[in-house]
Amino acid sequence: MMTAAPRPAAEARRNARPIYLDYQATTPVDPRVLEAMLPWFTEKFGNPGSVTHAYGREAEAAVESARGQVAALIGAEPREIVFTSGATESNNLALKGAARFHREDRDRVVTLATEHKCVLESAHALEREGFRVTILPVPLDGLVDLAALEAALDERTAIVSVMAAHNEIGVLQPLAGIGALCRARGILFHTDAAQAFGKIPLDVDVMSIDLLSVSGHKVYGPKGVGALYVRRRPRARLTPLVDGGGQERGLRSGSLPTPLIVGLGEAAEIAAREMTEEATRLRTLRERFLAGIRVAVPSVRLNGDPVRRLPANLNLTFPGVGALELIEACPGLALSTGSACTAAEVEPSYVLRAIGVSDELARSTLRIGLGRFTSERDVDFAVDALGEAVGRLQAKPVKTQSGASI
Amino acid sequence: MSTLAYLDWNATAPVRPEVVEAMSEALRCTGNPSSVHRWGRAARQAIERARAQVAALVGAAPAEVIFTSGGTEANHLALRGVHEHRVLISTIEHESVRAAVAGATLIPVTREGVVDLAALEALLAAEDQPAVVSIMLANNETGAIQSVAEAAAIARRHRALLHCDAIQGAGKIPVDFRALGADLLSISAHKLGGPPGVGALVARDGVPLSPLQRGGGQERGRRAGTENLPGIVGFGVAAELAGRESLPSAGIAELRDAAEAALTAAAPEARVFGKTVQRLPNTLCIGMPGVAASTQVMALDLAGVMVSAGAACSSGKVRRSHVLAAMGASAVEAESAIRVSLGWSTTVAEIEQLVAAWTVLYRRTRSAAA
């Protein structure tokens, strides 16, 4: 299917902008989202808190409409949505807020070794406050072992936090199974759905989710905005991180950024409409990518469960080739080794280490994120470029100790 | 009636056209500022440019600027991040400062709404414990400008840190972080022509600060979370524009003074809060005797004039202002006060619309009472 010789189309691409293959780090703002946002910066600029006048009420109505759009995508009620500055804040609020509220009767927090840094850091901050934190190991497929999770739960457990879709290895956790375990024990179930929201179907009732974090910029919305779903029945109670004007039912004070919230709402609505079709298209592209790269580089390894993963994510190890060298050798592609937060670090991914990938192989690993604006031609070009570069680098003497030369 | 007069600029301001332009461009750029590929690097450069622009507005070094999601978060980061044993705040601070710390010692203000420096000195002298003092640059309801530099000098003598909430003052009056002698200073973009959803805490190099929000280690570990790139870019441009207009306020002050003169001429017994002290050039807090602020705000709204009955914040509930209460206003007085706040595009016609509507209401209630 793939040929080694560059196609004319691929040839023409070489001088164009690099192909963006880092959709897990951030997504471009969808032009329809941008269009919806712009009027709220200028002519409709009122503070949604200023309900005593027309501009304020107009902004308030826009915020409430967006709240409905976000809620609809996860089967929630609008008043269960709290707007935040992003998924990091949502995750901090969910973990710290829930744990601190329940401190008296439940002092235990359970999460996974592969969670996002902001979940793990929040858990560690709680540990310093005297909470008991259990961080469960994760097997090679990246999926939580439900029996091990069940064994870790007790009557002192306040909250369990498990990421819905993984930002590096793309795996989809069995949310309904985790939710059922938690619900039966009166434990709050939080899921960081920054990568999953708008990409795969989520239903807070079916999955027994109590708290769910959303990010704007991972779903073709703007940066600087996110949301936390907070269940009302049975009520998930939180201690707020930020107090003040009492916005968001006291859970998150601060003037609401109307344009950003409108953008998140629009992004959610587009996802609700197009997610199924888009997921099918992306899954096909992902499989095309994987098939192509396996032909070009037979030694390539896929990390994380091959089926239960995000439609558009691949996490690939190219044994014997340093990931950073490979990125450098592919100037036509925007690639990453893993989480953007730690992209500048030379340390191998803690996520790969947690699922048992050796440091040597982790240093040879790339995260490939396809998305809404990736075309079949982009995939073919990327496969050719990567295959060619791997071939060139493999021909060079292998650096055994530090594959990741700068 | 057909035109609308927006006179609630202290709640929020429209985003300046140049800012929208810069943001629209930034919104079209993909790239996580932490990514090492070229899109990520371009995003990083844009953020560092904005950091320099914001730093320049307040006379700080770029490395001292920590971007946050807004003023409320900046105030929280300052007061909860320093971990001092004792926190002293004035009685007129914004809710986001009041709520940030439980059990803060309150520093009283005068009848005209400025912090009583002798009282601050006495409070600091009374207990020899590491402390942080929080005093706003200018009050959001009355516009009264505070003696922050003097307060900082007193704080320094007692080895206390000083935090200044400059959210309402920045962009309206010059702010100089070094001249103020502050250790920490909060600013917000949407109060000075930038977008909502972004702010900054300026923290003097060497001030120990622990983060509120942990995660990816952004903002040199002091504020985790993917940076709000377009918001930050917009903040930078707004800061540069605000700094370039050395005295944007001369025309605004004239308009405010004209409004004040016309309203007090119509209702001679109306109280102007903070009248005798230095105020922000754009702010007028005035009480119509015997008429509830909620009634005034509603009547003005029907006449197309948008003002507020205090801080914008949560709910539209018109609560009794803690600021006016701290200034010794009676409940009746405080409940009759409205806030009129102007901005760079305010016109004479808008002021006339306010004066006309307010005067009509005043005369109607007078004749009803008679």
Side-chain angles (χ1 to χ4, degrees), chain A residues 51-247:
Chain A
V51 293
T52 50
H53 59 64
Y55 283 21
R57 287 191 298 267
E58 167 184 65
E60 191 202 25
V63 166
E64 293 317 311
S65 161
R67 204 185 297 283
Q69 291 169 314
V70 171
L73 191 50
I74 56 171
E77 289 174 40
R79 58 187 175 161
E80 294 177 310
I81 302 299
V82 173
F83 288 114
T84 68
S85 67
T88 292
E89 184 185 336
S90 297
N91 286 338
N92 273 260
L93 175 57
L95 266 84
K96 294 177 186 167
R100 287 173 186 163
F101 188 91
H102 294 280
R103 184 192 300 266
E104 297 307 317
D105 46 324
R106 290 172 182 262
D107 63 352
R108 195 146 172 242
V109 176
V110 175
T111 186
L112 306 185
T114 49
E115 290 299 303
H116 192 274
K117 275 275 186 227
C118 63
V119 165
L120 294 173
E121 291 272 341
S122 293
H124 289 136
L126 289 167
E127 198 163 36
R128 288 191 290 274
E129 292 173 23
F131 288 89
R132 292 182 303 141
V133 173
T134 303
I135 296 180
L136 293 172
V138 179
L140 186 60
D141 62 8
L143 296 168
V144 65
D145 177 345
L146 285 176
L149 174 65
E150 183 169 13
L153 304 179
D154 62 18
E155 71 287 352
R156 299 287 294 170
T157 307
I159 183 169
V160 168
S161 181
V162 176
M163 206 189 301
H166 200 275
N167 58 309
E168 289 187 36
I169 54 177
V171 296
L172 309 179
Q173 299 290 355
L175 299 182
I178 302 168
L181 289 177
C182 293
R183 184 61 57 82
R185 292 162 179 79
I187 298 166
L188 292 172
F189 172 34
H190 166 249
T191 185
D192 170 2
Q195 298 287 348
F197 180 77
K199 313 282 173 54
I200 58 165
L202 292 170
D203 187 304
V204 291
D205 287 336
V206 171
M207 296 167 166
S208 308
I209 294 165
D210 298 301
L211 298 157
L212 179 147
S213 301
V214 166
S215 163
H217 77 103
K218 308 281 193 195
V219 64
Y220 309 96
K223 296 183 177 70
V225 68
L228 180 65
Y229 158 79
V230 183
R231 174 173 292 282
R232 283 182 70 86
R233 276 189 305 269
R235 187 143 181 206
R237 312 201 62 171
L238 303 177
T239 301
L241 294 181
V242 175
D243 300 297
Q247 290 92 343

Side-chain angles (χ1 to χ4, degrees), chain A residues 371-393:
Chain A
R372 186 168 291 169
F373 306 104
T374 310
S375 67
E376 199 175 275
R377 185 185 286 188
D378 291 340
V379 166
D380 291 347
F381 176 77
V383 167
D384 285 349
L386 267 176
E388 204 178 291
V390 170
R392 241 182 306 135
L393 293 170

Side-chain angles (χ1 to χ4, degrees), chain A residues 20 22 53 57 241 243 245, chain B residues 8 37 39 69 76 80 301 314:
Chain A
Y20 189 72
D22 200 11
H53 59 64
R57 287 191 298 267
L241 294 181
D243 300 297
Chain B
D8 197 11
H37 49 65
W39 290 355
S69 68
H76 273 62
R80 291 191 180 167
D301 184 38
S314 52

